[in-house]
Amino acid sequence: MVFSSKLIEKAVDAFASLPGIGRKTALRLVLHLLKQDKTATEQFTSALSAMREGIHACQICHNLSDTDTCHVCSDPRRDRSLVCIVENVRDLMAIEDTNQYRGLYHVLGGIISPIEGIGPGDLNMETLMQRVQQGEIKEVIMAISPTIEGETTIYYLSKKLQVSGIRCSTIARGVSFGGDLEYADELTLGRSIVTRIPYSGGGSGIEK
Amino acid sequence: MVFSSKLIEKAVDAFASLPGIGRKTALRLVLHLLKQDKTATEQFTSALSAMREGIHACQICHNLSDTDTCHVCSDPRRDRSLVCIVENVRDLMAIEDTNQYRGLYHVLGGIISPIEGIGPGDLNMETLMQRVQQGEIKEVIMAISPTIEGETTIYYLSKKLQVSGIRCSTIARGVSFGGDLEYADELTLGRSIVTRIPYSGGGSGIEK
């Protein structure tokens, strides 16, 4: 692509550096901003700058927050005996969106991945153990994706937490609601038979 | 989607205000910026601000430019007797990318569209007529999309330019290279037979 302007080229490069945005899409976004008032671009850039400057990691659970302690950790109605360990903030948001969980969180900031050179020392493990040692936590739910790296992380966490004697659980694996048995992979389907659950009579068990 | 932070919510809203970006993609982009250094966000926002502040419309052809006169209009090797009229800067870039055109341009900034309330007065027609009256231009190529609005604009332009007596042409319509006759629409295929061109013996006629 030939650009008539160095400024446009730089702006296109900036957009194209974001994941999932190619140079054609980047150009479309830049031309969109140019069509709008200057204030639109100002609002856009200032929202991003304010976000990047003002954001904190919650000092308890490492969730992203405007304040030192995030809105989950500072909510008195939350169950402080229950902690859900998640890989990242996006997973935390996904669980919050279900409205099914009333405990606290702990964001690891990644999972153990020898290939990418990420060991337990690179994750927020130390603060998790400190929280556990304070004695308030009764159960830890490991809501980590069931990939090879995820399972490794779950195994490592369970071994670390065994010492403290608190209950460890993982989220249920199985055929998804609305999913077709025929298209479920063998491992999931096989495990869902082995780990079958007593039928409690109708409904998905989700509180609406 | 529930956000743990007002700052993140505002940044997501900012990204989601761009065309083709939904809130899920916006969140992914925001979290990507948060993973990077602060300098990455600074570079991103300053590239956009600099672009929005520093960009000019070329005073001759209304192309986007860093300077008062764009790189096409200020290039002495360009054929000043030939002007290609385009709807917008993106079309200009597409033609420049072909490396087949050595004349100048004129960016209309839109096409006549009664439905959207865009009349000839809203487009860069006045400056085009001024350029024509200067007498240097011998031919005008109307490279405008063959939609109903496009054809209306072409008709209007041809009537306006008729008075000045300069040659008017449109870009060729027909079956595209690599296109399958079977799948060409009836209008295009029918017109491509009526406006058939003498066979000049091999090749696409494009200078490589």
Side-chain angles (χ1 to χ4, degrees):
Chain A
M1 241 186 293
V2 180
F3 292 101
S4 56
S5 144
K6 278 269 163 246
L7 292 169
I8 290 188
E9 189 165 3
K10 275 187 190 161
V12 167
D13 288 344
F15 268 120
S17 72
L18 299 175
I21 296 188
R23 287 174 73 80
K24 281 218 167 182
T25 308
L27 178 62
R28 194 155 54 92
L29 299 178
V30 166
L31 292 178
H32 170 84
L33 286 178
L34 283 174
K35 251 194 221 165
Q36 313 268 309
D37 273 349
K38 280 191 184 181
T39 48
T41 309
E42 277 163 26
Q43 279 169 8
F44 180 77
T45 55
S46 65
L48 294 189
S49 300
M51 183 269 295
R52 195 64 188 85
E53 288 300 320
I55 210 81
H56 295 262
C58 169
Q59 56 192 6
I60 300 173
C61 73
H62 306 282
N63 184 11
L64 293 173
S65 170
D66 297 348
T67 45
D68 285 343
T69 310
C70 79
H71 75 293
V72 177
C73 290
S74 54
D75 186 345
R77 290 164 303 173
R78 290 280 183 154
D79 181 356
R80 286 170 188 278
S81 69
L82 195 60
V83 166
C84 181
I85 303 177
V86 290
E87 182 185 336
N88 52 42
V89 176
R90 225 186 313 174
D91 290 351
L92 186 155
M93 283 179 180
I95 296 174
E96 278 295 280
D97 282 346
T98 67
N99 277 323
Q100 296 297 313
Y101 181 66
R102 304 307 301 162
L104 302 183
Y105 291 95
H106 192 86
V107 181
L108 284 183
I111 46 179
I112 296 170
S113 169
I115 292 173
E116 291 179 37
I118 302 170
D122 302 312
L123 308 177
N124 300 321
M125 293 278 186
E126 205 54 54
T127 45
L128 175 66
M129 297 318 291
Q130 283 166 14
R131 289 179 75 182
V132 166
Q133 275 153 25
Q134 282 164 13
E136 208 179 4
I137 299 167
K138 300 274 173 288
E139 182 178 349
V140 153
I141 305 170
M142 296 177 287
I144 294 172
S145 304
T147 56
I148 294 174
E149 287 90 355
E151 295 288 357
T152 310
T153 311
I154 289 172
Y155 183 75
Y156 180 88
L157 278 169
S158 69
K159 285 287 163 201
K160 279 278 257 190
L161 293 167
Q162 218 171 27
V163 192
S164 61
I166 59 169
R167 205 146 26 112
C168 279
S169 55
T170 66
I171 50 170
R173 322 276 189 213
V175 180
S176 43
F177 285 100
D180 214 323
L181 278 203
E182 199 179 335
Y183 301 116
D185 65 292
E186 287 167 29
L187 187 64
T188 303
L189 191 56
R191 286 292 295 275
S192 77
I193 290 169
V194 175
T195 61
R196 62 193 174 278
I197 43 173
Y199 184 64
S200 56
S204 61
I206 286 186
E207 297 157 26
K208 289 273 161 63
Chain B
M1 239 186 296
V2 180
F3 292 101
S4 56
S5 144
K6 278 269 163 244
L7 291 169
I8 290 189
E9 189 165 2
K10 274 187 189 161
V12 166
D13 287 344
F15 267 120
S17 73
L18 298 176
I21 296 187
R23 287 174 74 79
K24 280 219 166 180
T25 308
L27 178 61
R28 195 155 53 93
L29 299 178
V30 166
L31 292 178
H32 170 84
L33 286 179
L34 282 174
K35 253 195 218 163
Q36 314 268 308
D37 274 349
K38 279 191 185 181
T39 49
T41 309
E42 277 163 25
Q43 279 169 8
F44 180 77
T45 54
S46 65
L48 293 190
S49 301
M51 183 269 294
R52 195 64 188 85
E53 289 299 321
I55 209 82
H56 296 261
C58 170
Q59 56 191 4
I60 299 174
C61 73
H62 305 282
N63 184 12
L64 294 172
S65 170
D66 297 348
T67 46
D68 286 343
T69 310
C70 78
H71 76 293
V72 177
C73 291
S74 54
D75 186 344
R77 291 164 303 175
R78 291 279 185 156
D79 181 357
R80 288 175 184 274
S81 68
L82 195 59
V83 166
C84 180
I85 304 177
V86 289
E87 182 185 337
N88 53 42
V89 176
R90 224 185 314 173
D91 290 351
L92 186 155
M93 283 178 179
I95 295 174
E96 278 295 279
D97 282 346
T98 67
N99 277 322
Q100 297 297 313
Y101 181 66
R102 304 308 300 163
L104 303 181
Y105 291 95
H106 192 85
V107 180
L108 284 185
I111 46 178
I112 297 170
S113 170
I115 292 172
E116 291 179 38
I118 301 169
D122 302 311
L123 308 176
N124 301 320
M125 294 276 186
E126 206 53 55
T127 46
L128 175 66
M129 298 318 290
Q130 283 166 13
R131 289 178 75 181
V132 166
Q133 276 153 23
Q134 281 163 15
E136 208 178 4
I137 299 168
K138 299 276 174 287
E139 182 178 349
V140 154
I141 305 171
M142 296 178 286
I144 294 171
S145 303
T147 57
I148 293 174
E149 287 90 355
E151 295 288 357
T152 310
T153 311
I154 289 172
Y155 184 75
Y156 180 88
L157 278 170
S158 68
K159 285 286 163 202
K160 278 278 258 190
L161 293 166
Q162 217 172 29
V163 192
S164 61
I166 59 171
R167 209 151 17 119
C168 279
S169 53
T170 67
I171 50 169
R173 322 277 190 213
V175 179
S176 43
F177 285 100
D180 214 323
L181 278 203
E182 198 179 337
Y183 301 115
D185 65 292
E186 285 168 30
L187 187 64
T188 304
L189 191 56
R191 285 292 295 274
S192 77
I193 290 170
V194 174
T195 61
R196 63 193 175 279
I197 43 174
Y199 184 62
S200 56
S204 61
I206 287 185
E207 297 158 26
K208 290 271 161 64

